[in-house]
Amino acid sequence: MDFQAGILRDGNPMESLEKQLICPICLEMFSKPVVILPCQHNLCRKCANDVFQAANPYWQSRGSVISGGRFRCPSCRHEVLLDRHGVYGLQRNLLVENIIDIYKQECSSRPLKKGEHPMCKEHEDERINIYCVTCEVPTCSMCKVFGSHKDCEVAPLQTVFQGQKTELNNCISMLVAGNDRIQTIISQLEDSCRCTEENSEAAKQELCARFDALAALLEEKKSELLQRITREQGDKTGFVQGLICQYKEQLEKSSRLVETAIQAMEETGGAAFLMVRPPNLPPAPRWIVEASKGGRLEKIEHGYESMDAFSVSLDHLAEAVRALDFEPAEEDEEYFDGEEEEVEE
C-alpha cells in the first residue's frame, strides 16, 4: 500500500492518510489485527473472515484438520488461496497496525474543531447528534424539541450509525460472495464451452473416420466386381477370337479349293481332268463335297456378348445412406420408452 503517493495527492496529509487506512469491506478504519493478502492489499481479519465464509459456505472442520478454501480480494479480484488454517493463516501487517496507532494518537491530541462535525442548517450552533426515524434523516436536538421533527420518532445517532454500518457490511459481504459465485458460474460455463468444442471436434473426427472406412469398403467392393467383369470379358473375347482364327483357317482352305477347282475346269482332256484333285481326297466333284464337310465349326449363341448378368442395384444402399442419422443417447431412449408406455396405458 503506497501511503506516500496517497498523501502527496492531497493537501491535508492526515485526511489522505485516513483514506489509506479504510477497509474496503466495512469502510471503517482497519481494526486489529490487520491481515495482508498475497496481492498486497489489506483487510481487517474479521472482514476477511466474513468474505471467506461467504465464498465458502460449506467450509468446516473435519476432525482435527481444517480444510483450506479460497476467495477473491475485494480490491483487485485476485484469487486468494488459503491453507487449512483459513484466514488465521494470513500474515499480519504490523506496519499498518503501527500506523493506525500513531494516527489515532495524533487525532486524539488534536483539538476538536467546529467544522469537523456536521452542524444543523436550521440551528447553526447545534451539532447533528440524533436520527429522525420517521423522516430517515439525521438532525439535532433543537429540531426534535422545537423544530420540524418535534412529532417524529428519533433514535441515538450512533445506534443508527452502527446498525446501518453493520447492515451495509453484511450487504457488501453478500455482494462479494455473490460476485464469487457468479465468477464460478462463468468459469464453469467457459469450461463447458471448451469441452463442447473439444467433444465436437472428436465427434467430427470419428464421423469422418467411419465414412472414410465405408468409402474404402465400397471402393474395395467396386474393384472386386470390376475384376469379375474383366475376367468374364477376357473369357468371352478369348473364345470369340479363337472362333475367328478357326473360321479364317477354314476360309483359307476353302479359297485354295476354289483355286484347285478353277484349275480343274481349265483342263480339256478327260484323263487330265479326272487326275486333278487335292491329296487324300476322292476324284472331283466328290472331293469338293468332302472338303466342305470340314467347315462345320462351332457358333456363338444369340446374346453371347451381353453383360447384363453383371448389373448391380444400389438403390437399397442409397436409401440406407439417406437414412443415416445419429443414434439417440441412452437417456433419450429411456425418455422415448417412457412416452410409449404412457401412450399404451
Side-chain angles (χ1 to χ4, degrees), residues 115-244:
E116 292 182 354
H117 194 283
M119 308 300 289
C120 181
K121 293 182 180 180
E122 296 183 4
H123 309 90
E124 296 180 357
D125 295 332
E126 293 293 328
R127 297 172 56 185
I128 295 178
N129 54 3
I130 60 175
Y131 185 82
C132 179
V133 179
T134 305
C135 301
E136 296 184 345
V137 293
T139 184
C140 69
S141 303
M142 296 299 293
C143 290
K144 171 59 180 172
V145 178
F146 305 105
S148 58
H149 300 283
K150 62 181 180 179
D151 297 327
C152 299
E153 180 183 356
V154 297
L157 184 66
Q158 191 66 21
T159 303
V160 178
F161 164 73
Q162 292 295 339
Q164 293 190 5
K165 205 68 172 293
T166 303
E167 183 179 357
L168 180 60
N169 184 28
N170 295 334
C171 292
I172 293 174
S173 300
M174 292 174 58
L175 289 175
V176 172
N179 292 340
D180 289 339
R181 285 192 292 269
I182 292 175
Q183 184 63 42
T184 301
I185 294 174
I186 292 174
S187 300
Q188 292 175 351
L189 293 176
E190 291 175 348
D191 293 341
S192 177
C193 183
R194 183 173 58 256
C195 291
T196 301
E197 293 176 352
E198 294 175 353
N199 294 337
S200 299
E201 189 64 28
K204 290 178 182 178
Q205 294 179 0
E206 181 181 359
L207 184 64
C208 291
R210 291 180 182 273
F211 270 84
D212 291 343
L214 180 60
L217 180 61
L218 291 175
E219 189 66 26
E220 180 181 356
K221 193 64 177 179
K222 183 181 75 172
S223 300
E224 177 186 345
L225 296 179
L226 288 175
Q227 290 176 3
R228 289 176 57 184
I229 295 176
T230 303
R231 286 197 300 268
E232 184 68 15
Q233 174 188 355
D235 294 342
K236 286 189 175 184
T237 54
F239 177 73
V240 173
Q241 290 291 341
L243 289 180
I244 291 174

Side-chain angles (χ1 to χ4, degrees), residues 257 260 274 276-284 286-292:
L257 288 176
T260 303
L274 294 175
V276 177
R277 60 180 180 180
N280 302 325
L281 288 177
R286 287 189 299 162
W287 56 268
I288 296 178
V289 177
E290 293 293 334
S292 64

Side-chain angles (χ1 to χ4, degrees), residues 30-149:
F30 290 115
S31 61
K32 295 182 181 181
V34 181
V35 294
I36 183 170
L37 304 180
C39 55
Q40 303 303 313
H41 289 108
N42 297 277
L43 292 176
C44 308
R45 178 184 287 175
K46 179 182 180 302
C47 295
N49 188 62
D50 293 340
V51 175
F52 173 70
Q53 292 291 343
N56 301 269
Y58 300 106
W59 183 83
Q60 59 181 357
S61 300
R62 297 182 179 177
S64 58
V65 180
I66 302 177
S67 59
R70 62 184 64 191
F71 69 95
R72 293 187 180 275
C73 173
S75 299
C76 65
R77 308 301 301 160
H78 177 78
E79 189 175 43
V80 181
L81 301 178
L82 303 179
D83 56 13
R84 62 187 184 88
H85 299 291
V87 176
Y88 292 91
L90 295 174
Q91 185 178 1
R92 291 180 60 178
N93 194 336
L94 299 179
L95 174 61
V96 173
E97 293 182 5
N98 293 333
I99 293 175
I100 292 174
D101 292 337
I102 296 173
Y103 175 80
K104 289 182 177 180
Q105 292 176 4
E106 178 65 21
C107 290
S108 61
S109 62
R110 287 187 302 164
L112 184 61
K113 297 181 181 179
K114 179 179 180 180
E116 292 182 354
H117 194 283
M119 308 300 289
C120 181
K121 293 182 180 180
E122 296 183 4
H123 309 90
E124 296 180 357
D125 295 332
E126 293 293 328
R127 297 172 56 185
I128 295 178
N129 54 3
I130 60 175
Y131 185 82
C132 179
V133 179
T134 305
C135 301
E136 296 184 345
V137 293
T139 184
C140 69
S141 303
M142 296 299 293
C143 290
K144 171 59 180 172
V145 178
F146 305 105
S148 58
H149 300 283

